[in-house]
Amino acid sequence: MSAKHFVDDTENLVVDALESLSIVSPDLILDKHQKTLRFGPHDGNSQVSLISGGGAGHEPAHAAFVGEGFLTAAVSGNIFASPSVSQILSAIKAVGGASGVLLILKNYTGDVFHFLLAAEKARAIFGWQVETLIVGDDVSVGRKRGGKVGRRGLAGTVLVHKALGAMAAQGKSLIEIKRMGEKIASGLATVGVSLNHVHIPGRPSNSMINLGADELELGMGIHNEPGCKVLNPRPSLPDLVDIMLGQLLDPKDTDRAYVDFTTADEIVLLVNNLGGLSVLELSAITTSVVRSLESFKISPKRIIQGTLMTSLDGPGFSITLLAADEEILTYLNAPCSSPGWTSHQVNTQKPRKSGSLVKISDLPNGGAGHEEKQMKAEITLNLQDFTSAVSSACNSVIAQEALITEYDTIVGDGDCGSTLKRGAEAILGLISSSKLSTNALATIILIAETIEESMDGTSGAIFGIFFNAMAAAIRNLPPTTKVMGAGSWAVVSSAALVSLKNATAARVGDRTLMDSLEPFVSSLQDNLLEDAVKDAERGMEATQRMKPSFGRAVYVSEDMCSKVPDPGAVGIVAIVSGLLAGISKE
């Protein structure tokens, strides 16, 4: 993999890439702060709003598919990290309306957490119909290995965007659009392959994940996740395509036969460049796929070739098949104006109006913003002791960032450490701003908001839910509680853990941060903080011997997982050990 890039500053890289879309397509309006691109002429009161998004690094998905007849808005996280709840909420506020909003997301844990939480908040705040549609089209990992996580969302998601965008442009209702989305998603099957993993700009290289000169990886995901197997020696292109189509079409493969294409009225073929192939090579691959499909007696009614859903500059491609009918084909063939869609059956783009960069908060409706909250002023905390402990926890996380990133590069997508570090730095900034007060509820709410704004990915969603739930638990403390002491913090932490468990099925033994968090919170109820920290450490150490059930580690080999503990669990230990160190100084 190449570790050389023209841009190594990933934060500016993402924003500058988004800005380019508003430059070449003046109808697209960028909110730089929220990393959100929207279609300016859209009216959410007369037409359903379609919002998608995810981590950067998959371009042209998702932002370049914003336009007339396609997505209404797209929200971008940092590279391979889902956008935050506040970003998604801001997009809903900017384009939503009485016709309703549909959030379309790929099946990745962080995206699911954040988009579903944003939908819940939007319903409560704005009173609009807000629905979600989760797309999972991968077949390579299979049912057994995918387990509770389910199928990953891959290039087939773009076909959902295109068809539903056409429906929205025709004035279809939210119910009709979501029903069609579910139909299309259930008829999708995708498998990818790559000659190597990719290097993320601004991060150190990791030789452990490089493939050999004569190897390729079948089923590699779009976030550097390992696939179902490494093929060595590398097969010829026709043989490779036959293997991939076998995974898509073999009805006897009960682990992967998600779609019965024998009963399909029509079949759509999408050959997608993962980012690093030349047009010449991709074109030859498409020809090989079409030839191989003939041996399966399949002649696709619609063939789409291009760069639609990438993994940065991934040297690979994916094949997607869609079981379709004439109605779906009509929507796929409908005109659109998004800059990322190049497979036009009919090109009826209208002249563009002049556009500009704008912040959502500058719009007449304001921004998504947080509503004014009534604080429970009776319950206080010792601000000096609290900020000392929290600062120590944040500094502990920052000190461990490189190690957590190293672990997550091996068993995940490498963003866990940087996400935790961003959150820690943002909280330290909040502390130094003197905005925190002795009001316990107000202080925890400010920390929760800071987490939502600064942390993306799965970690951001989990910590956002946990701290929001802590705030709710403070509200529900007995009237006799006047000051937050060790017992009160134990009670609200326990309540927050219950809320978190309602949002995720992950439990102790699934190789997630819950393996550290759950024993820590449970131990806190009856023991000293020092004992609870030791229980968290034991939980973290145990993850190295566990088979993962959640997150991208599910797609990593057991051998690789056994080399390191779960990065999220390491992050929890860094936090709670930092708390202990900060309190011990007092």
Side-chain angles (χ1 to χ4, degrees), residues 171-188:
K172 302 294 184 183
S173 71
L174 178 60
I175 293 175
E176 290 174 307
I177 292 172
K178 182 177 180 180
R179 188 177 298 130
M180 175 59 75
E182 292 170 340
K183 176 181 176 181
I184 295 172
S186 67
L188 284 168

Side-chain angles (χ1 to χ4, degrees), residues 167-492:
M167 292 184 72
Q170 294 175 21
K172 302 294 184 183
S173 71
L174 178 60
I175 293 175
E176 290 174 307
I177 292 172
K178 182 177 180 180
R179 188 177 298 130
M180 175 59 75
E182 292 170 340
K183 176 181 176 181
I184 295 172
S186 67
L188 284 168
T190 299
V191 61
V193 68
S194 186
L195 297 172
N196 210 341
H197 293 253
V198 299
H199 176 259
I200 299 175
R203 295 186 188 172
S205 300
N206 188 340
S207 59
M208 289 183 65
I209 62 174
N210 279 346
L211 295 178
D214 200 32
E215 293 181 329
L216 59 78
E217 192 147 1
L218 181 64
M220 186 180 290
I222 55 173
H223 305 91
N224 252 351
E225 317 99 306
C228 60
K229 66 171 70 172
V230 173
L231 301 181
N232 185 359
R234 181 163 48 94
S236 66
L237 177 60
D239 288 344
L240 173 61
V241 169
D242 284 343
I243 293 170
M244 297 171 73
L245 291 179
Q247 289 198 346
L248 293 169
L249 295 167
D250 185 0
K252 297 178 182 178
D253 186 351
T254 56
D255 197 36
R256 296 184 174 88
Y258 290 97
V259 183
D260 182 2
F261 289 99
T262 62
T263 61
D265 294 343
E266 305 289 353
I267 291 179
V268 175
L269 165 66
L270 164 61
V271 180
N272 172 62
N273 184 358
L274 287 177
L277 297 186
S278 67
V279 175
L280 178 68
E281 194 167 17
L282 184 69
S283 300
I285 289 168
T286 299
T287 299
S288 183
V289 174
V290 172
R291 287 172 179 166
S292 187
L293 280 172
E294 293 174 359
S295 65
F296 290 91
K297 301 189 183 330
I298 291 177
S299 177
K301 184 68 176 286
R302 178 83 156 89
I303 300 173
I304 300 166
Q305 170 193 300
T307 304
L308 301 175
M309 180 77 73
T310 65
S311 178
L312 292 172
D313 57 350
F317 66 95
S318 62
I319 302 172
T320 299
L321 295 178
L322 167 63
D325 55 28
E326 285 300 327
E327 183 182 15
I328 292 173
L329 287 170
T330 299
Y331 295 136
L332 290 177
N333 293 337
C336 68
S337 68
S338 64
W341 183 259
T342 58
S343 186
H344 297 281
Q345 289 288 93
V346 183
N347 191 339
T348 58
Q349 289 191 9
K350 299 177 181 178
R352 297 305 185 96
K353 302 174 184 177
S354 60
S356 62
L357 299 178
V358 68
K359 289 185 177 180
I360 297 299
S361 55
D362 293 335
L363 296 173
N365 289 338
H370 290 280
E371 303 299 308
E372 194 69 27
K373 300 176 177 70
Q374 294 296 320
M375 302 303 175
K376 192 170 182 178
E378 309 94 89
I379 302 179
T380 62
L381 51 76
N382 184 313
L383 188 59
Q384 182 176 347
D385 291 350
F386 179 83
T387 54
S388 174
V390 173
S391 296
S392 178
C394 291
N395 286 321
S396 176
V397 168
I398 292 168
Q400 292 292 306
E401 183 270 332
L403 180 64
I404 296 170
T405 296
E406 178 184 346
Y407 290 165
D408 198 41
T409 302
I410 295 171
V411 297
D413 55 21
D415 74 320
C416 183
S418 58
T419 300
L420 289 171
K421 181 182 179 183
R422 274 197 307 276
E425 290 175 338
I427 292 172
L428 288 174
L430 176 65
I431 291 171
S432 64
S433 72
S434 301
K435 292 180 180 178
L436 298 183
S437 70
T438 58
N439 185 309
L441 178 57
T443 290
I444 294 301
I445 285 176
L446 279 174
I447 290 176
E449 291 176 343
T450 300
I451 287 170
E452 288 184 9
E453 292 171 0
S454 62
M455 294 177 67
D456 42 24
T458 307
S459 299
I462 289 174
F463 284 100
I465 291 169
F466 190 83
F467 276 88
N468 276 298
M470 282 185 73
I474 291 174
R475 286 183 182 274
N476 296 326
L477 285 172
T480 55
T481 306
K482 301 301 180 183
V483 179
M484 292 296 293
S488 300
W489 287 117
V491 169
V492 299

